[in-house]
Amino acid sequence: MPELPEVETVRRGLAPHLEGARLMRVDARRPDLRIPFPPDFRQALTGRRIERLERRAKYLVARCEGDLALIMHLGMSGRFSVIQNGQIEAPGAFVHEGTMAQADGNGPHDHVVFETDAGTRIVYSDHRRFGLMTLSPSETLDAHPLMAVLGVEPIGDDFTPDHLLAKLEGRHTPIKSALLDQKVVAGLGNIYVCEALYEARISPRRSAYTIGKARAERLVPAIKGVLARAIEAGGSTLRDYAGADGALGYFQHSFKVYGREGEPCPDRDCGTVHRIVQANRSTFFCPKCQR
DNA sequence: CGGGACTCCTGCCAGC
DNA sequence: TGCTGGCAGGAGTCCC
């Protein structure tokens, strides 16, 4: 369940190890994750230098020399471990169900191993295999089918109340579902949508097209604020990382409503946090103050 | 064509 | 105690 802030935290943790490094060895231990690895995956990447590690929505993109981009998605359980001199030096990036042992590259869920010219091993583990890795020409990355459908970045200047209103026009789906649609805004997941709607005091059940200007002007800053604080928390986790368990991710943060069914409305103490199911996903909200 | 249901996958945990 | 079924969900696909 990494959402935008967790992916950004992973990017910041991996960038020092990947940017400027050359991949000396690339090993995919199985034919696929959520989608098959490209047939030339290993061959195309081996020997190539990575210039930049970028993030687009929940995707990581390694921009390589020679017009090649490596597109990566963590799915729900994807994580990276960085191993230097046989020791795990940097966080494994993301753990969401308790604490798992750091990947050493030999575990049953260690699916991809990169080795750089600095002698660093970067191991991608993903026990549910909802993640993916694929390749694209770098120059036409935005036209890649996975990228072309994505809406604007919620933390960017293009994400404004007016932009959101235009995207929601005519959409009769609940606002909760609309915000999970990566075409509307790219990078939100179940948890931060619940949190942002709570902060903006908007009911997750409200039809998207009825949001209106005033609510949109609360919702957009709420989304940006929730994400910014989560990125900040991830950053401090990275800085503080000192060889503990390497766990990064949601469960270092605390949420106001997500997972808090039955608890009192934390900010306004006006009601109780309820859990409902929308589009097969749990939604947590306070029916008293979210309208 | 919009929108909801379904699907992939595996670890975990409540409940019997 | 040990098994089982349900649940978690990102995002593509399918169907009404």
Side-chain angles (χ1 to χ4, degrees), chain A residues 20-275:
Chain A
R22 193 175 297 278
L23 298 177
M24 305 309 285
R25 203 165 67 86
V26 176
D27 202 2
R29 304 276 175 81
R30 49 173 299 119
D32 57 21
L33 295 172
R34 185 160 61 80
I35 63 173
F37 289 101
D40 60 340
F41 183 76
R42 178 206 290 243
Q43 190 191 10
L45 287 169
T46 303
R48 208 177 284 258
R49 206 176 79 98
I50 295 173
E51 291 169 341
R52 285 188 318 283
L53 186 63
E54 301 174 351
R55 181 192 56 74
R56 173 77 174 100
K58 301 176 196 172
Y59 291 93
L60 288 170
V61 179
R63 298 274 193 174
C64 303
E65 63 181 347
D67 193 29
L68 186 76
L70 166 62
I71 301 171
M72 299 175 276
H73 196 294
L74 300 174
M76 292 186 53
S77 56
R79 45 198 288 268
F80 285 97
S81 300
V82 179
I83 304 165
Q84 285 178 319
N85 308 317
Q87 285 209 311
I88 293 158
E89 296 277 332
F94 188 72
V95 177
H96 90 283
E97 285 165 346
T99 300
M100 304 168 82
Q102 279 289 341
D104 61 4
N106 298 310
H109 304 301
D110 297 344
H111 303 310
V112 183
V113 179
F114 300 111
E115 203 169 300
T116 74
D117 55 353
T120 302
R121 269 204 302 167
I122 292 163
V123 179
Y124 177 75
S125 318
D126 186 353
H127 66 87
R128 289 188 200 172
R129 304 206 301 273
F130 278 20
L132 65 84
M133 289 195 195
T134 193
L135 301 172
S136 166
S138 200
E139 282 179 25
T140 55
L141 178 71
D142 291 345
H144 187 281
L146 293 171
M147 301 286 126
V149 295
L150 297 174
V152 299
E153 289 282 322
I155 57 177
D157 292 340
D158 293 340
F159 185 56
T160 62
D162 283 342
H163 179 89
L164 180 61
L165 281 173
K167 284 285 191 180
L168 298 179
E169 197 180 335
R171 294 209 50 169
H172 286 240
T173 192
I175 184 65
K176 160 78 188 308
S177 304
L179 292 176
L180 284 176
D181 184 344
Q182 303 297 297
K183 294 188 279 297
V184 172
V185 54
L188 295 177
N190 202 42
I191 295 179
Y192 293 117
V193 166
C194 290
E195 296 292 303
L197 286 169
Y198 175 72
E199 184 169 319
R201 307 194 311 278
I202 296 169
S203 170
R205 292 193 273 219
R206 173 176 287 277
S207 287
Y209 75 100
T210 70
I211 283 294
K213 188 135 180 117
R215 288 186 198 86
E217 285 176 350
R218 295 203 304 269
L219 182 53
V220 167
I223 290 169
K224 289 176 187 279
V226 162
L227 296 178
R229 289 194 295 277
I231 290 172
E232 201 178 331
S236 59
T237 310
L238 269 187
R239 278 194 302 281
D240 296 344
Y241 180 75
D245 62 6
L248 277 188
Y250 294 118
F251 292 77
Q252 306 266 325
H253 319 323
S254 65
F255 304 114
K256 287 188 171 173
V257 289
Y258 186 84
R260 296 189 178 275
E261 181 180 16
E263 295 184 27
C265 172
D267 281 356
R268 298 171 277 272
D269 198 25
C270 54
T272 303
V273 176
H274 285 229
R275 176 185 173 274

